[in-house]
Amino acid sequence: MKDMERDMVCVMIDNRIGKRIKQCRERLGLTQEQFAEKTGFTANYISTLERGASFPRCEKLITLLNALEVSADAIFCDCLLYTSDAADEAR
């Protein structure tokens, strides 16, 4: 897989993950500000994640999952399959 294609896959995955984070937050009935308070992050950081403009490091990801009351599967459900498929196509 070329660098540009890999970057596009990463952006698509970040967008999917961001949308799922937002869906889970909204399912809890929380605003970005309320969710930020619950996690100890800023509302700006939450917005950045939900837009797919950033991806949390491991420690922050665990904090997010715990605050969302979901497993990692709920956030990454098809992302791992998608990256595996893309890797297979590159071979």
Side-chain angles (χ1 to χ4, degrees):
M1 182 181 300
K2 296 178 184 172
D3 288 342
M4 189 170 147
E5 290 172 335
R6 187 172 354 140
D7 290 344
M8 289 175 58
V9 168
C10 289
V11 168
M12 290 172 57
I13 290 170
D14 287 351
N15 286 339
R16 287 180 182 188
I17 292 168
K19 286 179 184 178
R20 291 208 182 92
I21 290 171
K22 181 178 180 178
Q23 289 169 345
C24 291
R25 173 184 59 79
E26 289 176 339
R27 203 171 301 132
L28 292 174
L30 299 173
T31 64
Q32 286 183 342
E33 291 77 13
Q34 291 168 328
F35 188 58
E37 189 173 312
K38 183 175 181 176
T39 59
F41 304 141
T42 65
N44 187 46
Y45 180 68
I46 300 299
S47 174
T48 301
L49 293 174
E50 290 182 355
R51 287 183 282 116
S54 181
F55 187 81
R57 292 191 176 265
C58 187
E59 302 84 22
K60 289 185 177 183
L61 179 60
I62 291 168
T63 300
L64 288 166
L65 294 172
N66 287 334
L68 291 169
E69 303 170 15
V70 297
S71 69
D73 291 346
I75 302 296
F76 297 105
C77 57
D78 66 341
C79 294
L80 296 176
L81 292 174
Y82 184 80
T83 55
S84 295
D85 290 346
D88 290 344
E89 290 176 11
R91 291 184 195 148

